[in-house]
């Protein structure tokens, strides 16, 4: 139980200060207290700022203070969000509901005394306005755009051929940017060859390229040490080691060429340079997330591929291909850094060739080889 003689810092501030605008003062104290609670849980500061910003936005929409909110306010806010020209995705609306629910849970928790304080000051207390009948529930494992999928082998070939041709064209015309185009092409190949997220590939240093004693033929490129993996709520970046699989030996050749010949030609000795970065820019900085997404879109469009394909689809394709090639689900799960096998299954969309091979094997096993063709 909380010692009532030692209220939290926000409560002490309320008791020690006589505000000119009491409602605004109490609301700010609530937000500060909620911020402290989230910091104590070890949550990311940027995420905390985003959640607090949403609560301020919701309060402006309601034109009422938290101790006056009702369930109808949340429903009106949701209709507002989903009725605009470009309505929010279902997953985004659900995350907004989760933020409002969490803030209301903090205010209505007796250990923080906000209900008693608001009742004494304003004659009304905060309540939980989110319930099962007015919030978006999580019914499906995957709620992203249905068009998002893995690339076919033909699409992969078209994309990487276009990326390589950009390099040849720039070099042939004598324009600047050939080295950057070479770097970009190799980044995309690395994303696909190791199933990496954007932050993971952009955070790589040269020291993250490691040998694998079980695969000496790949020399210093037998594994990639990922240090900026996606963390769980309240945790920092997760680390994992992604092993090189032999089906991607073609990408390893390009990566070795980049490290030994291409990278050193960038300005890695500038004062602003991060000399460890695997993918430096002409200014000596790291390639940005936004730049990489834009460059992918340019190459995708030049290759005539569908616009719904994003950089993250290369990671989808990696997972799909490993399953098609017969790697175990546990191996694939560890390679891509998923906590649960069900998450890996979301990204798996095996092709018709693979499914036909499975059916052919089943026919052969049950009815004999004369009933199946592989």
């Amino acid at each position: 139980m909380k010692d009532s003689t030692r209220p939290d810092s926000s409560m002490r501030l309320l008791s020690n200060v006589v505000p000119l605008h009491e409602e605004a003062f109490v609301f700010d104290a609530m937000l500060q207290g909620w911020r402290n609670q989230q910091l104590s849980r070890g949550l990311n500061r940027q995420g905390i700022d985003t959640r607090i910003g949403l609560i301020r936005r919701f309060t402006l929409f309601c034109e009422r203070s938290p101790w006056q909110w009702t369930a109808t306010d949340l429903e009106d806010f949701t209709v507002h969000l989903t009725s605009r020209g470009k309505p929010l995705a279902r997953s985004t609306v659900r995350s907004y509901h989760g933020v409002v629910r969490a803030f209301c849970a903090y205010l209505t928790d007796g250990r923080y005394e906000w209900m008693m304080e608001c009742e004494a000051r304003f004659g009304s207390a905060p309540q939980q306005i989110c319930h099962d009948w007015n919030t978006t529930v999580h019914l499906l494992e995957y709620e992203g755009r249905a068009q998002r999928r893995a690339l076919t082998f033909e699409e992969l070939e078209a994309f990487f051929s276009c990326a390589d041709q950009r390099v040849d064209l720039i070099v042939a015309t004598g324009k600047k940017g050939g080295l950057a185009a070479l770097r970009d092409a190799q980044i995309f190949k690395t994303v696909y060859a190791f199933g990496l997220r954007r932050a993971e590939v952009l955070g790589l240093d040269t020291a993250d390229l490691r040998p694998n004693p079980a695969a000496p033929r790949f020399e210093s490129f037998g594994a990639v040490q990922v240090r900026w993996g996606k963390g769980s709520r309240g945790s920092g970046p997760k680390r994992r080691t992604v092993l090189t699989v032999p089906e991607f030996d073609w990408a390893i050749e390009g990566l070795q060429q980049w490290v030994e010949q291409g990278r050193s030609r960038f300005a890695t000795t500038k004062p602003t340079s991060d000399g460890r970065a695997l993918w430096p820019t002409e200014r000596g900085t790291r390639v940005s997330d936004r730049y990489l997404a834009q460059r992918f879109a340019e190459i995708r469009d030049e290759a005539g591929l569908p616009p719904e394909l994003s950089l993250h689809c290369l990671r989808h394709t990696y997972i799909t291909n490993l399953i098609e090639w017969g790697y175990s689900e546990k191996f694939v799960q560890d390679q891509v850094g998923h906590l649960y096998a069900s998450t890996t299954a979301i990204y798996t969309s095996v092709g018709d060739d693979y499914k036909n091979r499975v059916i052919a094997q089943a026919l052969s096993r049950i009815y004999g080889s004369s009933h199946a063709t592989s």
Side-chain angles (χ1 to χ4, degrees):
M1 292 293 292
K2 180 180 177 185
D3 184 354
S4 61
T5 63
R6 299 189 61 188
D8 60 40
S9 58
S10 56
M11 286 297 177
R12 289 198 299 271
L13 181 62
L14 287 176
S15 62
N16 294 336
V17 176
V18 179
L20 294 176
H21 304 285
E22 188 172 26
E23 290 192 0
F25 182 74
V26 172
F27 178 52
D28 287 341
M30 286 176 167
L31 293 179
Q32 184 59 50
W34 192 41
R35 178 188 294 275
N36 293 342
Q37 183 218 46
Q38 294 177 84
L39 288 172
S40 181
R41 293 169 57 194
L43 301 186
N44 179 272
R45 290 179 182 271
Q46 183 177 0
I48 294 173
D49 291 340
T50 300
R51 287 186 281 275
I52 289 179
L54 177 64
I55 294 299
R56 290 192 180 277
R57 177 182 171 189
F58 179 65
T59 304
L60 288 174
F61 175 85
C62 297
E63 297 182 341
R64 292 194 283 185
S65 300
W67 50 90
Q68 300 169 320
W69 291 349
T70 65
T72 304
D73 292 323
L74 180 75
E75 293 154 15
D76 291 342
F77 185 60
T78 304
V79 172
H80 168 70
L81 294 174
T82 55
S83 301
R84 299 181 300 179
K86 186 178 180 181
L88 296 180
R90 180 186 180 90
S91 58
T92 303
V93 174
R94 188 180 66 250
S95 70
Y96 285 6
H97 288 169
V99 172
V100 176
R101 186 195 297 272
F103 183 60
C104 290
Y106 164 71
L107 297 182
T108 56
D109 190 320
R111 289 170 290 189
Y112 295 101
E113 303 179 3
W114 287 113
M115 296 181 68
M116 182 176 62
E117 187 72 23
C118 291
E119 187 70 43
R121 287 175 178 267
F122 309 113
S124 61
Q127 60 176 322
Q128 178 58 265
I129 64 173
C130 301
H131 54 76
D132 292 342
W133 289 2
N134 71 348
T135 54
T136 303
V137 296
H138 193 172
L139 298 177
L140 301 174
E141 288 289 348
Y142 179 69
E143 294 181 334
R145 296 175 59 187
Q147 298 90 335
R148 294 282 173 85
R149 57 172 174 79
L151 281 71
T152 65
F153 286 107
E154 291 77 12
E155 289 172 332
L156 283 171
E157 183 176 1
F159 178 84
F160 289 126
S161 294
C162 187
D164 291 336
Q165 288 171 6
R166 286 169 65 99
V167 181
D168 297 336
L169 180 61
I170 293 174
V171 172
T173 56
K175 297 180 180 179
K176 292 184 178 181
L179 194 58
L182 176 64
R183 175 203 61 205
D184 298 343
Q186 190 55 51
I187 292 178
F188 296 132
K189 293 173 183 178
T190 302
V191 168
Y192 172 49
F194 293 94
L196 303 180
R197 302 178 178 94
R198 274 183 288 186
E200 294 172 349
V201 71
L202 295 178
L204 289 177
D205 292 340
T206 54
D208 294 324
L209 304 175
R210 305 288 184 86
N212 179 5
R217 65 177 297 133
F218 298 131
E219 299 179 352
S220 299
F221 303 88
V224 167
Q225 180 70 33
V226 175
R227 294 179 292 111
W228 298 97
K230 183 178 180 180
S232 303
R233 177 172 294 184
S235 75
K238 290 185 177 180
R239 297 191 176 209
R240 73 179 187 278
T241 298
V242 184
L243 302 180
T244 302
V245 296
E247 288 82 357
F248 292 108
D249 55 359
W250 56 270
I252 300 306
E253 294 178 4
L255 184 59
Q256 184 175 10
Q257 181 185 28
W258 168 253
V259 172
E260 297 178 354
Q261 302 177 31
R263 178 183 173 276
S264 61
R265 297 177 61 184
F266 272 106
T268 56
T269 59
K270 287 189 175 182
T272 58
S273 172
D274 184 347
R276 303 165 298 175
L278 182 58
W279 318 109
T281 67
E282 295 87 342
R283 299 181 302 276
T285 59
R286 290 179 183 265
V287 173
S288 70
D289 182 285
R290 182 177 181 181
Y291 169 88
L292 196 62
Q294 291 176 339
R295 185 65 71 234
F296 177 90
E298 290 175 4
I299 298 175
R300 176 201 63 203
D301 294 343
E302 289 178 13
L305 301 181
E308 62 267 17
L309 297 178
S310 67
L311 175 57
H312 198 68
C313 290
L314 291 178
R315 176 174 162 89
H316 293 209
T317 310
Y318 173 81
I319 297 173
T320 297
N321 291 162
L322 289 191
I323 295 295
E324 290 180 333
W325 293 333
Y327 289 91
S328 70
E329 293 182 4
K330 183 63 171 66
F331 177 82
V332 178
Q333 179 185 345
D334 291 343
Q335 285 281 94
V336 297
H338 286 156
L339 185 60
Y340 302 106
S342 58
T343 306
T344 306
I346 294 172
Y347 292 87
T348 304
S349 52
V350 295
D352 291 338
D353 290 343
Y354 171 78
K355 290 184 285 189
N356 288 335
R357 288 199 303 271
V358 173
I359 291 297
Q361 292 171 2
L363 290 170
S364 177
R365 182 176 66 254
I366 296 175
Y367 301 111
S369 59
S370 62
H371 291 268
T373 58
S374 56

